[in-house]
Amino acid sequence: MSQPDPGYRPEQGPRPPWGAQPQWGAPQPGAQPQWGTPPQWGVPQYPGQSWGPPVDPRWPAGGPPPYGQPRYVAPPKPGIVPLRPLFFGEIMDGAFQTVRRNAKTMFGSALIVQAVAGALNEVAALGMLGMVEPPVGGFTSQDEAMRYLGPAVGATAGIMGISLLTMVLTAVLQGVMAIPVARSALNRPTGFKQMWSLARSRIWPLVGLAALLLAGSLLFFLVLFLLAVLVLAGLGPAGVLLLFPLVFGAAVVFFWIYTKLLVAPAAITVEELGVFAGLRRSWTLTRRNWWRIFGITLLVAFMVFIIGSVIQIPLGLASGGINSVFAPHAGAAQVTTTAIVLAVASLVVGVLVSAVGFAFQTSVAALIYMDLRMRRDGLDVELLRLLETGEDPDGVPGRRRARQVGAHPWPPNTAQGSPQG
């Protein structure tokens, strides 16, 4: 006869069989489940998902990011480019979008400048064609030489003056057209009158910059010419061998300086700087980015040249063969009329192509400037603040001035702590 279990009590119910797991009463709702059955912790909180928060469809793995890291959220793109440092494709697309969204402003301004420059160049070219040819045997008297050389020198001086005027207008327009590019980054359209109104105070600094760059370029080529003359005078024909490395080195120096000062017009206009301050600013911004800027500029110039050449090739071929095909026995008057019509058509097409190419190249230079400021100054943070607050809708984004009377300047001075409010 077995001994009674000292831990057994009759009120607990019948004794469980030997080796079986005891049951501690019927399970209550929300209590611990019975042994041997899978635990049921209630209905999932999120339908269609057994655990965790809803799956973000943007996450490529189909679930939450590993190790609790925050998910990547693309930066906002309210306008032509995303508000972060830019890639090459984004710069190209942004330039196209800027010209398309501000066609009247940018294309109209470029068209005016290119039309004036093209008309003056054609007048100078016609003046050169009207000059008499020099005599075969040379000049027999000083008066005969002056009758020929006087108009030639005058026409040459006129062409150089037109070229200098075109360069000045181009430099000024490059700075002015940086305004619609900066405003397009926040999807703010810019009218023709509004652009020139915002750039009114920057015209004279841009003219000073253009004059300084022209003087520097002329001095550079004058020094190069004098060096070439000294080399040829000192070494004779053997000096020609030294001219090739001299010219190559001068070209390298010229393009290096040109790239370093590429964004000076945009800096003067957007940041309201002086001439020399704008040059220093451009020199600082382009530091450690020379090859990238030079590559983008060279590729854009090559694209514009190729497209312009392809468009103007048919006109060049027509000017040489239209008379022989359609009027092989035409008189002198008809040939002259046809030549004039083709010359005018070629001029109009050339001006249109040049205006579009200049607007695109200017947009690229302005976007390079904004990209450099995003990388060095945190301009993207300032643009995000302007986007959120909607502040200064009629101004130029990126100008370094106090936002309002009594407000903290931007960017904030970290030495004084974070701005309040």
Side-chain angles (χ1 to χ4, degrees), residues 220-264:
F220 178 83
F221 288 111
L222 179 61
V223 171
L224 178 63
F225 176 76
L226 292 178
L227 287 177
V229 171
L230 292 176
V231 168
L232 292 177
L235 300 179
V240 177
L241 299 177
L242 295 179
L243 289 182
F244 293 101
L246 178 63
V247 173
F248 178 77
V252 171
V253 173
F254 178 82
F255 285 111
W256 180 71
I257 297 176
Y258 172 82
T259 305
K260 294 289 291 184
L261 303 179
L262 178 67
V263 299

Side-chain angles (χ1 to χ4, degrees), residues 56-61 63-66 68-77 82-85 87 90:
D56 191 346
R58 295 174 297 178
W59 187 254
Q69 297 296 325
R71 296 182 178 91
Y72 170 77
V73 179
K77 184 183 177 182
L83 301 184
R84 57 161 173 75
F87 296 106
E90 293 168 342

Side-chain angles (χ1 to χ4, degrees), residues 7-214:
Y8 171 71
R9 294 180 182 180
E11 61 269 16
Q12 293 180 350
R15 185 194 304 269
W18 182 259
Q21 183 69 25
Q23 297 183 2
W24 303 105
Q28 301 296 327
Q32 183 74 19
Q34 299 182 7
W35 295 101
T37 59
Q40 300 293 332
W41 303 109
V43 181
Q45 184 178 359
Y46 302 97
Q49 185 173 327
S50 59
W51 58 274
V55 176
D56 191 346
R58 295 174 297 178
W59 187 254
Y67 309 109
Q69 297 296 325
R71 296 182 178 91
Y72 170 77
V73 179
K77 184 183 177 182
I80 56 174
V81 291
L83 301 184
R84 57 161 173 75
L86 306 176
F87 296 106
F88 170 74
E90 293 168 342
I91 292 177
M92 301 292 289
D93 179 69
F96 278 114
Q97 294 293 330
T98 302
V99 177
R100 185 179 65 84
R101 298 185 183 190
N102 304 275
K104 294 181 179 179
T105 303
M106 303 192 69
F107 180 71
S109 302
L111 184 60
I112 292 174
V113 173
Q114 296 296 327
V116 172
L120 293 177
N121 286 325
E122 288 296 325
V123 169
L126 291 176
M128 293 287 290
L129 292 176
M131 292 188 305
V132 297
E133 297 182 0
V136 179
F139 301 106
T140 57
S141 64
Q142 185 176 1
D143 294 338
E144 185 180 359
M146 290 303 299
R147 282 196 302 268
Y148 172 78
L149 294 178
V153 172
T156 304
I159 292 176
M160 292 183 61
I162 293 170
S163 301
L164 295 178
L165 177 62
T166 303
M167 294 179 66
V168 171
L169 293 177
T170 300
V172 172
L173 191 59
Q174 183 178 353
V176 172
M177 290 173 65
I179 292 177
V181 177
R183 289 177 53 82
S184 295
L186 296 180
N187 199 23
R188 297 176 178 178
T190 308
F192 184 87
K193 184 178 179 180
Q194 183 183 14
M195 181 185 72
W196 287 100
S197 176
L198 291 172
R200 183 183 305 158
S201 61
R202 302 287 90 208
I203 298 299
W204 286 114
L206 290 173
V207 172
L209 173 67
L212 185 61
L213 293 178
L214 285 176

Side-chain angles (χ1 to χ4, degrees), residues 287-304:
R287 186 179 302 165
R288 298 180 182 178
N289 285 277
W290 188 91
W291 283 108
R292 178 171 176 267
I293 299 172
F294 176 74
I296 294 175
T297 306
L298 183 63
L299 181 58
V300 170
F302 180 75
M303 290 174 53
V304 172

Side-chain angles (χ1 to χ4, degrees), residues 306-322 342 346 349:
I306 292 298
I307 294 175
S309 300
V310 170
I311 293 176
Q312 291 192 355
I313 281 176
L315 289 176
L317 296 177
S319 62
I322 191 170
L342 290 175
S346 178
V349 174

